[in-house]
Amino acid sequence: MDSLRHELARFIQSPAARHDPPGLYRKLLDSAPVLDLGRVHVVSGYEEIVTVLMHPGTMVDPSAVGLARSGSSALGSVVARMLPLRDGSDHSRLKRLATAAFSARRLDVIKRQITDTTQQLLTPLLASGSFDLVADLAVPLPVAVSCAILDVPEQDRGRVTGWAGLVARSLLDPFADEAATAALDAEFAEFRDYVEELCAQRAARPGDDLISRLTVARAEGRIDSEDLLAFVVMLFANGLETLTSGLAVAVWQLLQRPELLELCRLDPESAEAVFDESQRLGSPVRASARAVTRDVPVGGTVLPAGSVALLLYAAANRDPRRFPDPDRFDSARAERRHLAFGHGPHHCLGAPLSLMVGGTVLRTLAAAGAERELSTPLTEATAPWSEQFVFGGLRELPILSPPRALAGAGVRAA
């Protein structure tokens, strides 16, 4: 068991040690679905993670067990108030406010915008013959979706994209030095002012967007200005990490398995199921954590009060006790309730939206595959996976898309 602890510690601390995560996941699931590393207990089994997520003795707030929140910038303090980082009745109260923005009726309105934006972005990229899926599509598309939810004017979306990148950088590097923190706060002050401008506009002319709903809630005293700002930050933070990573992982799977491209072309309605299965196998959000505030029995052991449970979603999504033949890609699985979008009270509100966006991208690429030969020069050995521990997506994904007539004549490179 000591060798497994050592291997897991290297996996957590060193990007170079993450070259074969499924191999480590199998060892954990076979030998130690709950592994004691001292104050931290790594939980990798599906049912064990669900137990922790649903237990009233666990919280997302690390200060509940005496740990400090990361980050000291003004943006960091707002991030700490985002919905995924709140607990109990406070979380429930705020979640009710956000639910309407992700309702089936609202998603129906946004669906056409998602389709149009995906086409607008992908059509010239495909025609160019080569592009980077991450920088050219998987970053701007989630920003455009968040702008649609907030009803941000088209002419402002360039500025908003820059601020969204600011949010992402803050999440990935919460321990910036003093100079970097000051620069971050100065940029964030501009973003805060812009959100207040939108609120003033919606107060005068309310709409059905999230900003309008939040502006009303603030006027009625149900939230304060920091909560309102945290909602907006949350949309961009989740989009630029979870959805960006999810799109890259899904297209990677599509390019590794030509039969999936054909499936999505012949049966466009299957695209969301293909995207969903790619999230299970790829787990863009590799892990999360919970503070343990009282003893929690899990999988034949006990997580002691005051400890931290590190929840390894990526391993749980390959748990053979939940998913037969877990390393096989099967978009028609009978059991599709994986943990890529979380579980329980903190299950991602935007999961249906992510599936809609992912399905749209896969359908669009599959349709283009009838006329263009889609491939990537990357291999499993050369793919530049994220060096972050929590987020497991690709940093870049070059796509080659020559017309099939030229590809057949020997122009294709893959």
Side-chain angles (χ1 to χ4, degrees), residues 177-337:
D177 60 33
E178 188 173 335
T181 297
L184 189 72
D185 284 347
E187 281 191 79
F188 185 57
E190 295 179 12
F191 182 49
R192 180 189 290 269
D193 290 344
Y194 177 75
V195 172
E196 282 301 330
E197 287 176 20
L198 287 181
C199 289
Q201 293 168 12
R202 304 300 154 76
R205 295 181 298 279
D208 191 32
D209 58 280
L210 183 57
I211 289 282
S212 293
R213 292 176 181 275
L214 294 175
T215 301
V216 170
R218 183 173 64 175
E220 294 174 349
R222 288 182 286 152
I223 59 171
D224 60 22
S225 293
E226 296 301 291
D227 281 338
L228 187 154
L229 190 60
F231 267 112
V232 178
V233 169
M234 176 187 72
L235 279 178
F236 292 117
N238 283 352
L240 271 189
E241 289 309 324
T242 57
L243 185 51
T244 294
S245 298
L247 288 171
V249 163
V251 175
W252 171 258
Q253 294 285 356
L254 206 70
L255 296 175
Q256 303 308 302
R257 297 174 169 85
E259 71 276 9
L260 295 180
L261 199 65
E262 187 69 0
L263 173 63
C264 292
R265 186 178 71 82
L266 296 176
D267 180 14
E269 294 303 312
S270 69
E272 287 194 7
V274 170
F275 181 80
D276 195 39
E277 176 70 347
S278 74
Q279 305 307 284
R280 181 190 71 82
L281 268 181
S283 295
V285 180
R286 184 180 280 127
S288 181
R290 291 294 184 272
V292 181
T293 58
R294 62 178 190 247
D295 289 359
V296 177
V298 180
T301 187
V302 174
L303 306 183
S307 66
V308 174
L310 177 61
L311 310 178
L312 203 50
Y313 295 152
N317 284 339
R318 292 175 183 255
D319 191 334
R321 297 172 299 172
R322 183 73 177 188
F323 306 103
D325 196 5
D327 296 332
R328 179 171 59 89
F329 193 106
D330 180 6
S331 58
R333 284 184 182 277
E335 178 53 79
R336 292 174 57 186
R337 290 174 296 175

Side-chain angles (χ1 to χ4, degrees), residues 338-362:
H338 53 70
L339 299 178
F341 298 111
H343 182 87
H346 284 276
H347 182 267
C348 179
L349 267 177
L353 180 63
S354 294
L355 290 172
M356 183 184 294
V357 174
T360 301
V361 169
L362 298 190

